[in-house]
Amino acid sequence: MAPTEEKSRWQFLNEEAKAGRLYLDASVAKSCRDASNKQIALFGQLKTDLRMLSSVTGLGRFNCADELAKMLGMKAVGGERDFDTAFKEHIEVLELIRDTIEISVKKYEDQQTAQAQALTSQGANIPGGDQ
């Protein structure tokens, strides 16, 4: 699936989580969040490493070697469909995934807390329920 489609999907799910219509179990969600953070860090490091690849040398002293070096450098950073942009787009999707997971966990935990408080309140209103 293209990064723009993935981003659209996760933007939708993010809005669903904000609206309280998407809940994830906290234990599963935390593992997914941690995996997302790990992948974001990896892609961030790869983007940093790409800077070294954007300046290709050692291909010889020919005009075609200079053109090839420029073309390879642009494939890393700054060219059409370059790796730098691809990593940036993947990081944006991963951040949406992570944020959506965090929102859904918070909503899930808030719902569980509210239900527990409601049950406690009901118990206090029943004669003998607060003993």
Side-chain angles (χ1 to χ4, degrees), residues 32-58:
C32 292
R33 183 203 56 213
D34 292 345
S36 295
N37 282 331
K38 185 177 178 181
Q39 200 65 35
I40 290 167
L42 173 64
F43 284 159
Q45 182 60 50
L46 290 172
K47 280 178 60 62
T48 300
D49 293 347
L50 277 173
R51 300 289 171 221
M52 291 183 287
L53 297 174
S54 66
S55 180
V56 178
T57 60

Side-chain angles (χ1 to χ4, degrees), residues 57-89:
T57 60
L59 298 177
R61 296 181 156 260
F62 304 101
N63 288 340
C64 64
D66 293 341
E67 288 299 314
L68 179 60
K70 181 180 176 182
M71 182 182 70
L72 291 173
M74 296 292 285
K75 189 63 180 168
V77 178
E80 184 178 333
R81 298 181 62 181
D82 66 329
F83 284 102
D84 187 56
T85 301
F87 286 138
K88 178 182 173 282
E89 290 171 352

Side-chain angles (χ1 to χ4, degrees), residues 89-124:
E89 290 171 352
H90 287 296
I91 288 169
E92 288 173 356
V93 171
L94 287 165
E95 288 172 341
L96 269 171
I97 292 169
R98 181 201 57 210
D99 295 347
T100 300
I101 288 168
E102 288 179 357
I103 290 166
S104 67
V105 167
K106 175 87 170 95
K107 293 283 187 180
Y108 177 80
E109 290 171 348
D110 290 348
Q111 181 187 37
Q112 296 300 311
T113 301
Q115 287 175 348
Q117 289 173 346
L119 289 173
T120 302
S121 294
Q122 288 175 351

